[in-house]
Amino acid sequence: MSQNASPPAALTIAGSDSGGAAGLQADLRTFLTCGVHGLVAVTAVTVQNTLGVHDRSDIPARIVAGQIEAVAADMGMQAAKTGMLASAEIIEAVAEACDRAEIGRDSKVPFVVDPVAASMHGHPLFDAAGLAALRDLLLPRAAVITPNLDEVRLLTGIEVTDRAGMHDAAVALKELGPKYVLVKSGHLTSDPECVDLLYDGRTFVELPGPRFSTPHTHGAGDAMASALTAGLARGMSMPEAARFGKWFVSNAVANSYPMGAKVGPVSAFWRLAPETR
């Protein structure tokens, strides 16, 4: 790419993590290191560190929708993704704004829904109305959804304990309307490998990877979903983009580092060229 050429662009619709490990911060650094310009629609500002989320302020739904429509109308994008959407009102506004901006469904802009419905400790982040809005309004608009196993349980009621259960969960999730389902296996700690599962309603594709012995995995799900989104923005097919996301997050976890008192972030530093002086 020449210095003056416009790179592909991707939009993240997500919350801010003051600890810089997850949320829109993880999405933007992943986009950058994957060669994609990042656009942002902020949904919430969290007060958090490695000890937990201490407070949160949600952005007004009209402002969230306005951010989406503003960047779509002027700058355009080749893919979009969601992260934490905070409330049913915001989800409804996002769905309507995406329709107006021609994001998702059968449009040219693929929509990656990372259904951030549970915290890293497995606690629900939505009330019943928010979870219903996520399931009913966003999943049918998605080119792919990327739940972890806690989110699988919240969306389907299926408690996954092995790889066979991941297949059952993928089938149940596909019935909710997305074109593809990518079930992430990071929480399946009984499995010596970390084998994620991509499903299009006909074919299961396993995405194998090592399971690293590290506690520092904050932001791994965001990194995988945003790398997949970057792959789509760069013109990859869904299976290619899913493999690209798996490759990116495996390296990010392998290079994770301690930061703060508890769970540190996965790293995007491994994608940076060494400095020359």
Side-chain angles (χ1 to χ4, degrees), residues 116-187:
V116 182
S119 73
M120 64 182 299
H121 303 294
H123 300 133
L125 296 176
F126 287 134
D127 57 16
L131 191 61
L134 175 67
R135 184 188 293 114
D136 297 341
L137 297 179
L138 291 193
L139 300 195
R141 287 173 163 81
V144 62
I145 62 171
T146 61
N148 64 33
L149 299 186
D150 288 318
E151 290 152 359
V152 166
R153 173 176 48 80
L154 289 172
L155 289 168
T156 69
I158 296 174
E159 190 80 42
V160 175
T161 59
D162 54 24
R163 293 190 196 179
M166 290 178 62
H167 283 71
D168 294 339
V171 171
L173 288 163
K174 183 68 175 68
E175 292 175 353
L176 298 177
K179 292 182 179 178
Y180 282 83
V181 173
L182 178 60
V183 179
K184 298 178 293 192
S185 65
H187 293 181

Side-chain angles (χ1 to χ4, degrees), residues 3-255:
Q3 183 176 351
N4 296 320
S6 297
L11 168 68
T12 177
I13 308 165
S16 172
D17 171 7
S18 57
L24 67 85
Q25 286 81 3
D27 292 340
L28 288 178
R29 66 171 167 263
T30 301
F31 288 165
L32 174 66
T33 54
C34 291
V36 170
H37 177 82
L39 307 169
V40 181
V42 185
T43 62
V45 176
T46 66
V47 178
Q48 68 174 290
N49 52 26
T50 67
L51 299 174
V53 178
H54 308 290
D55 204 350
R56 186 179 95 192
S57 179
D58 295 347
I59 304 299
R62 66 178 179 82
I63 299 297
V64 177
Q67 294 173 86
I68 295 169
E69 294 182 63
V71 295
D74 176 51
M75 303 169 77
M77 67 200 69
Q78 284 67 53
K81 75 172 290 289
T82 66
M84 187 186 80
L85 297 177
S87 70
E89 183 183 11
I90 289 176
I91 291 170
E92 291 166 4
V94 166
E96 292 170 1
C98 284
D99 284 351
R100 289 191 292 270
E102 298 185 336
I103 298 168
R105 292 200 187 273
D106 296 319
S107 76
K108 293 181 180 179
V109 180
F111 191 36
V112 177
V113 176
D114 189 13
V116 182
S119 73
M120 64 182 299
H121 303 294
H123 300 133
L125 296 176
F126 287 134
D127 57 16
L131 191 61
L134 175 67
R135 184 188 293 114
D136 297 341
L137 297 179
L138 291 193
L139 300 195
R141 287 173 163 81
V144 62
I145 62 171
T146 61
N148 64 33
L149 299 186
D150 288 318
E151 290 152 359
V152 166
R153 173 176 48 80
L154 289 172
L155 289 168
T156 69
I158 296 174
E159 190 80 42
V160 175
T161 59
D162 54 24
R163 293 190 196 179
M166 290 178 62
H167 283 71
D168 294 339
V171 171
L173 288 163
K174 183 68 175 68
E175 292 175 353
L176 298 177
K179 292 182 179 178
Y180 282 83
V181 173
L182 178 60
V183 179
K184 298 178 293 192
S185 65
H187 293 181
L188 194 61
T189 55
S190 60
D191 194 323
E193 289 186 282
C194 191
V195 182
D196 300 334
L197 189 66
L198 183 69
Y199 179 60
D200 65 357
R202 300 177 303 277
T203 305
F204 294 98
V205 176
E206 291 190 344
L207 305 174
R211 186 174 296 278
F212 296 100
S213 180
T214 176
H216 304 306
T217 57
H218 196 189
D222 306 80
M224 182 170 188
S226 51
L228 186 160
T229 304
L232 293 174
R234 289 169 50 180
M236 297 180 191
S237 69
M238 186 63 71
E240 289 171 336
R243 290 189 179 94
F244 180 75
K246 181 68 173 182
W247 169 75
F248 183 94
V249 76
S250 293
N251 282 281
V253 174
N255 290 276

